[in-house]
Amino acid sequence: MSSPADTRPDDQPLLRVSSVSKSYGARTGCTDVSFELWPGEVLAVVGESGSGKTTLLNCISSRLLPTSGSVSYRMRDGSWRELYRMSEAERRFLMRTDWGFVHQNPADGLRMTVSAGANVGERLMAIGDRHYGNIRSTAIDWLGRVEIGSDRIDDEPRAFSGGMRQRLQIARNLVTSPRLVFMDEPTGGLDVSVQARLLDLLRGLVADLGLAAIVVTHDLAVARLLSHRMMVMKDGRVIETGLTDRVLDDPREAYTQLLVSSILQV
Amino acid sequence: MMATPLVVSEVAKSFVMHLRGGLTLPVVEDVSFALTAGRCAVLGGPSGAGKSSILKMLYGNYGVDSGQIIVQHRGALVDLARAAPRVVLSVRRETIGYVSQFLRTVPRVTALDVVAEPLTAAGVDRDEARERAAALLARLNLPKTLWSLPPATFSGGEQQRINIARGFITRHPILLLDEPTASLDAMNRQVVIDLIAEKKQAGVALLGIFHDQDVREAVADTIVDVTRFAPKRVAA
Amino acid sequence: MSDIATYNFAYLDEQTKRMIRRAILKGIAIPGYQVPFASREMPMPYGWGTGGVQVTASIIGPEDVLKVIDQGADDTTNAVSIRAFFRKVAKVETTTETAKASIIQTRHRIPEHPLREGQTLVYQVPIPEPLRFLEPRETETRKMHALEEYGLMHVKLYEDIARNGHIATTYAYPVKVEGRYVMDPSPTPKFDNPKMHMSAALQLFGAGREQRIYAIPPHTNVVSLDFEDHPFEVQTFDRPCALCGAEQVYLDEVILDDRGGRMFVCSDTDFCETRRAAGHVGELGAATQRPEEVR
């Protein structure tokens, strides 16, 4: 088992977001968001619809060009690169190797008409793996890690349930050992028992692999379970940020207090 | 090991209840005290005086309005009141342990693994962590049949024993205890008293809130009277 | 009555030929890259070789000798009509002999006889995009080619092996050209893929409906995609041609009667006849003749 994230204060962050803003003409997506993310840290971005959290996620994961501000990433060789100064080829390569993106709807992040094994193996083939046997056994290994039976390796995701598709999407993203994974409502739309299984799986994988992750969610329970840090957004701005359990147990801002008190008790 | 691994200095806290029109509720003011290695300090005072809040501030779970909480962590001094989240998490992983009053259960994780988690998070081998967890649970008389079940459906007393085991399993130099014996019978209360004594022997500094007078008298070396820190101003 | 409509040489007007020649030059400059071109309305429907015909029409000159084959044969409908078309609009000499032709237009096969310098092979292509059936978005496939992102091509081969135990693609087998672009060689059998590699001839590909032209200049590196543990293999035939005895050539199956009788003969008709004229005889060579005569 790999050792947990090193959190010595003198360690370098992995991602630096500086004053990122995105506006659509007069309409604001998000405004002046800045933060740093360290290796192995999971940051939850919570807010209600229209808070700007998904816009922010897209801006920092190279899917949407910000109106202003910058996003910098520390590459494996230690050098800092600004995301939007890279060539498109470099950005796409980054998205396929060092980064992952888990979509809310797994069909958006999978190839529905190729087998599960091919879905998991595609990134490997994209970076030059040319040994069928190795690709297949890596795929089987990963399917096992996300609790999909190896007998399903040749089945298409079209035949999978929602929870299974989501687990397949996770395997597909993690096969190249990315250091940073973006997740957009990873448990949205799933049944409660399925959510529980998925969250536990994610928790374990994130810890085992030392992944850094940015998880957008409207569900505070998901934030509590998965994240170390939390950012609360409203109307495009970050209104509170800090240690997850601190923000949830001792909310300071009015909106955060409203959010926390609105959760229904079971 | 440092003699005073944790020093609290002039800490103040109040709650601002925005949902009640911005009502400010001061909790404590001018909190200053220090913990001593190998000794157990007890927070004394009536309900509502802020004992639990102080404990939570020392764990980083509650925010601090002003003042400092200095802890010795990895050979350096860290002010928990101002530390970045990842530093607080590092302190929790290695330096300050916490036995909470309520167990927050995670679906699918067994009682044994809940207890073993602080060790595995610090890099201990999973099998060894589970062995040590098993030893503690056995000592706390938790039936073996429960070890492989997720604790969501356990009784209050059973959940509390999980919390205790989870807090005591590590070798953290500082341990915070929030009503650790509230739901236990006499036999298990004695087990906790013994565990606390062992920690003192090992040089751990403890700070606890104990509702039960017998337990308090058995373990306390110093009493920190929280009424000393009562806010001078009334709620406004 | 005089002809009201007269055709320009080889049917297309000179400006169109220039446009197509420019596309061809681009294709030659970037081997394997699909160059878009403005495909014209031709006097034959899509799916009947309009791309190949436009390429041929743009490069053919009065001194050229044209051969047209369809599935290797000079005497099938497609080949016959196209040959007749160029005889009418270009008045060029036509032939069935591979060695004599300067331009060979082909549907779905490469001649067995090795081509030499100065010859041009024009392929008719239905779907030029090798990634099309895996990635329907043109915007995505263009990016993949531009950024050399070909993982998906290997996904297709992976699926073949997972489903069939081996790479089951037997025609239109994807190749990598000059180590850069992945290309669909048109629906030629994979048996023919090795012939594209380091050929002395110029190979041009035209897709009329999809409006793309691509090219492989002479002496270019063309490698079929595969896996290390599932290397590319050509089909083998366990018997020689029944008419001329040729071995290691692509054979067609010909049904002889309604009692299951069949024979396997060279798909390349000219190759077979040339061999028989030189005295080679296969098992059934003396007793049987090819059904049609070549015109």
Side-chain angles (χ1 to χ4, degrees):
Chain A
M1 197 187 76
S2 58
S3 55
D6 198 323
T7 50
R8 275 192 299 257
D10 55 338
D11 237 20
Q12 282 220 57
L14 194 57
L15 185 77
R16 238 177 226 144
V17 176
S18 294
S19 302
V20 163
S21 301
K22 176 73 186 171
S23 56
Y24 303 94
R27 218 161 40 83
T28 317
C30 62
T31 309
D32 204 20
V33 180
S34 300
F35 65 90
E36 289 178 323
L37 189 73
W38 268 261
E41 233 183 6
V42 179
L43 171 70
V45 181
V46 302
E48 301 182 298
S49 300
S51 58
K53 57 190 196 295
T54 305
T55 304
L56 177 66
L57 190 74
N58 288 333
C59 283
I60 60 184
S61 62
S62 86
R63 295 152 63 82
L64 190 63
L65 181 67
T67 313
S68 61
S70 72
V71 180
S72 302
Y73 179 72
R74 181 162 60 88
M75 310 292 278
R76 282 192 201 242
D77 64 3
S79 63
W80 280 94
R81 301 293 306 279
E82 260 195 66
L83 194 62
Y84 291 102
R85 296 233 177 143
M86 287 182 187
S87 67
E88 188 174 3
E90 287 174 291
R91 264 201 303 278
R92 282 169 71 108
F93 185 72
L94 192 65
M95 279 304 281
R96 273 202 314 270
T97 51
D98 229 26
W99 282 8
F101 197 106
V102 177
H103 293 78
Q104 181 174 3
N105 181 0
D108 292 336
L110 290 173
R111 291 205 190 270
M112 299 303 284
T113 55
V114 303
S115 67
N119 264 287
V120 176
E122 185 178 342
R123 278 196 179 195
L124 296 174
M125 291 184 253
I127 57 173
D129 270 19
R130 290 288 174 266
H131 193 280
Y132 173 83
N134 290 347
I135 292 167
R136 195 173 170 83
S137 56
T138 306
I140 290 175
D141 179 58
W142 270 101
L143 289 178
R145 291 216 236 185
V146 298
E147 300 174 20
I148 295 178
S150 59
D151 59 324
R152 308 296 309 255
I153 186 172
D154 296 322
D155 293 344
E156 287 176 14
R158 283 191 289 202
F160 288 6
S161 66
M164 238 171 135
R165 288 181 188 186
Q166 195 55 299
R167 281 178 279 137
L168 181 64
Q169 199 197 169
I170 289 166
R172 179 178 157 89
N173 272 284
L174 297 184
V175 73
T176 45
S177 305
R179 292 188 300 158
L180 174 58
V181 180
F182 300 93
M183 302 193 210
D184 187 4
E185 308 271 9
T187 58
L190 297 175
D191 289 336
V192 177
S193 60
V194 175
Q195 270 193 38
R197 184 182 187 183
L198 190 74
L199 285 173
D200 183 51
L201 187 73
L202 277 173
R203 229 173 124 255
L205 285 172
V206 166
D208 286 345
L209 303 171
L211 291 178
I214 299 180
V215 182
V216 158
T217 181
H218 65 273
D219 187 339
L220 296 181
V222 169
R224 192 189 279 276
L225 194 65
L226 283 186
S227 68
H228 305 113
R229 273 167 67 195
M230 207 165 106
M231 264 176 21
V232 180
M233 287 187 74
K234 181 177 197 292
D235 295 331
R237 287 184 184 277
V238 176
I239 57 123
E240 189 162 0
T241 180
L243 193 64
T244 297
D245 61 87
R246 202 281 301 154
V247 175
L248 289 173
D249 292 341
D250 183 19
R252 313 204 117 185
E253 298 300 319
Y255 179 68
T256 319
Q257 290 182 1
L258 177 64
L259 264 189
V260 171
S261 68
S262 305
I263 304 173
L264 299 173
Q265 304 286 6
V266 170
Chain B
M1 198 177 306
M2 213 173 117
T4 49
L6 191 136
V7 176
V8 183
S9 175
E10 293 171 358
V11 161
K13 176 159 187 72
S14 50
F15 289 115
V16 180
M17 329 273 279
H18 293 284
L19 300 180
R20 290 201 219 164
L23 176 71
T24 303
L25 212 68
V27 183
V28 286
E29 223 174 68
D30 226 355
V31 182
S32 299
F33 63 90
L35 297 185
T36 313
R39 309 277 280 274
C40 178
V42 166
L43 292 172
S47 245
K51 304 194 292 292
S52 208
S53 299
I54 289 177
L55 220 53
K56 288 181 176 156
M57 281 190 276
L58 263 51
Y59 197 57
N61 181 229
Y62 273 10
V64 165
D65 290 349
S66 61
Q68 300 176 305
I69 301 172
I70 313 285
V71 63
Q72 200 198 22
H73 172 66
R74 288 192 184 169
L77 296 178
V78 171
D79 180 7
L80 268 181
R82 250 151 226 80
R86 72 193 188 290
V87 176
V88 175
L89 290 173
S90 177
V91 169
R92 290 179 182 178
R93 237 191 314 267
E94 294 169 28
T95 304
I96 303 184
Y98 187 78
V99 175
S100 60
Q101 234 182 334
F102 306 107
L103 180 65
R104 198 166 246 114
T105 60
V106 170
R108 297 199 335 166
V109 183
T110 64
L112 194 70
D113 283 334
V114 168
V115 175
E117 207 194 341
L119 290 181
T120 53
V124 174
D125 171 68
R126 199 179 286 272
D127 290 328
E128 190 197 323
R130 282 188 175 144
E131 268 173 41
R132 282 160 63 175
L136 256 181
L137 286 177
R139 214 168 142 186
L140 286 159
N141 301 301
L142 193 79
K144 213 166 167 190
T145 49
L146 295 181
W147 294 2
S148 53
L149 298 175
T153 51
F154 291 1
S155 72
E158 286 160 351
Q159 288 193 353
Q160 186 157 56
R161 278 174 279 163
I162 307 254
N163 260 341
I164 291 166
R166 196 184 146 91
F168 276 79
I169 197 171
T170 61
R171 295 185 179 130
H172 289 7
I174 300 167
L175 205 52
L176 307 172
L177 309 169
D178 194 346
E179 304 272 16
T181 57
S183 320
L184 300 183
D185 61 20
M187 175 173 67
N188 285 315
R189 279 204 296 272
Q190 186 56 46
V191 175
V192 175
I193 293 171
D194 294 338
L195 286 170
I196 292 175
E198 283 162 29
K199 284 289 180 187
K200 283 201 237 181
Q201 278 275 337
V204 174
L206 300 116
L207 178 66
I209 301 170
F210 299 94
H211 180 77
D212 190 275
Q213 190 163 350
D214 292 339
V215 177
R216 205 183 322 137
E217 280 171 14
V219 304
D221 296 309
T222 4
I223 309 275
V224 178
D225 183 4
V226 172
T227 57
R228 277 184 8 226
F229 314 130
K232 317 257 179 330
R233 300 162 285 121
V234 284
Chain C
M1 191 166 85
S2 63
D3 272 332
I4 298 169
T6 50
Y7 294 107
N8 195 39
F9 180 82
Y11 188 78
L12 295 174
D13 58 275
E14 290 307 308
Q15 291 305 332
T16 299
K17 287 187 203 170
R18 276 200 177 117
M19 179 271 293
I20 293 176
R21 286 174 197 152
R22 284 187 191 114
I24 293 172
L25 284 174
K26 282 183 190 165
I28 292 169
I30 315 171
Y33 167 71
Q34 298 166 52
V35 182
F37 80 107
S39 181
R40 294 288 187 252
E41 286 293 328
M42 298 300 284
M44 62 208 52
Y46 291 133
W48 287 79
T50 55
V53 168
Q54 286 176 85
V55 169
T56 299
S58 304
I59 62 173
I60 200 163
E63 313 293 306
D64 277 305
V65 180
L66 177 69
K67 170 179 161 81
V68 185
I69 48 172
D70 177 1
Q71 299 281 21
D74 300 85
D75 54 356
T76 52
T77 314
N78 192 48
V80 169
S81 347
I82 293 177
R83 212 164 39 239
F85 172 75
F86 279 108
R87 264 208 297 271
K88 181 166 186 180
V89 301
K91 300 204 181 1
V92 287
E93 189 187 329
T94 62
T95 181
T96 61
E97 293 177 48
T98 307
K100 276 203 185 149
S102 61
I103 298 176
I104 303 162
Q105 181 167 327
T106 176
R107 176 177 169 273
H108 303 350
R109 278 236 56 216
I110 299 178
E112 302 291 349
H113 192 100
L115 302 174
R116 57 175 160 75
E117 188 181 311
Q119 288 184 306
T120 301
L121 187 59
V122 178
Y123 297 73
Q124 294 170 208
V125 180
I127 305 279
E129 177 51 68
L131 298 164
R132 180 57 62 230
F133 293 103
L134 288 162
E135 178 51 77
R137 294 170 291 181
E138 174 74 10
T139 47
E140 238 340 87
T141 49
R142 283 209 197 186
K143 269 211 186 121
M144 285 169 158
H145 284 293
L147 302 176
E148 211 173 339
E149 289 179 9
Y150 290 127
L152 199 54
M153 208 61 243
H154 276 88
V155 166
K156 177 179 192 320
L157 300 179
Y158 169 98
E159 286 288 84
D160 267 358
I161 301 172
R163 292 213 174 104
N164 305 302
H166 57 274
I167 298 178
T169 306
T170 49
Y171 63 94
Y173 193 103
V175 295
K176 197 157 213 209
V177 181
E178 273 299 275
R180 178 54 181 90
Y181 281 93
V182 167
M183 191 193 93
D184 182 327
S186 85
T188 50
K190 68 175 184 176
F191 183 86
D192 283 344
N193 276 17
K195 299 191 182 82
M196 291 192 292
H197 175 68
M198 295 309 226
S199 173
L202 170 65
Q203 301 171 75
L204 300 177
F205 299 77
R209 179 186 50 216
E210 294 295 312
Q211 311 199 48
R212 298 281 187 276
I213 284 173
Y214 45 105
I216 300 176
H219 307 296
T220 298
N221 209 290
V222 179
V223 176
S224 300
L225 301 183
D226 60 9
F227 285 100
E228 282 164 18
D229 51 338
H230 283 83
F232 173 74
E233 274 166 8
V234 296
Q235 297 117 319
T236 48
F237 295 91
D238 55 6
R239 62 189 83 190
C241 167
L243 294 180
C244 75
E247 291 177 343
Q248 319 229 318
V249 293
Y250 197 75
L251 300 178
D252 282 340
E253 185 179 357
V254 178
I255 309 293
L256 296 173
D257 50 47
D258 58 8
R259 275 169 278 127
R262 64 190 69 197
M263 65 175 178
F264 289 84
V265 296
C266 289
S267 149
D268 186 336
T269 52
D270 171 59
F271 188 74
C272 198
E273 278 169 24
T274 309
R275 275 183 61 86
R276 279 186 287 144
H280 296 280
V281 179
E283 209 170 69
L284 301 170
T288 321
Q289 263 188 303
R290 287 193 69 86
E292 304 93 46
E293 277 227 300
V294 177
R295 224 163 291 289

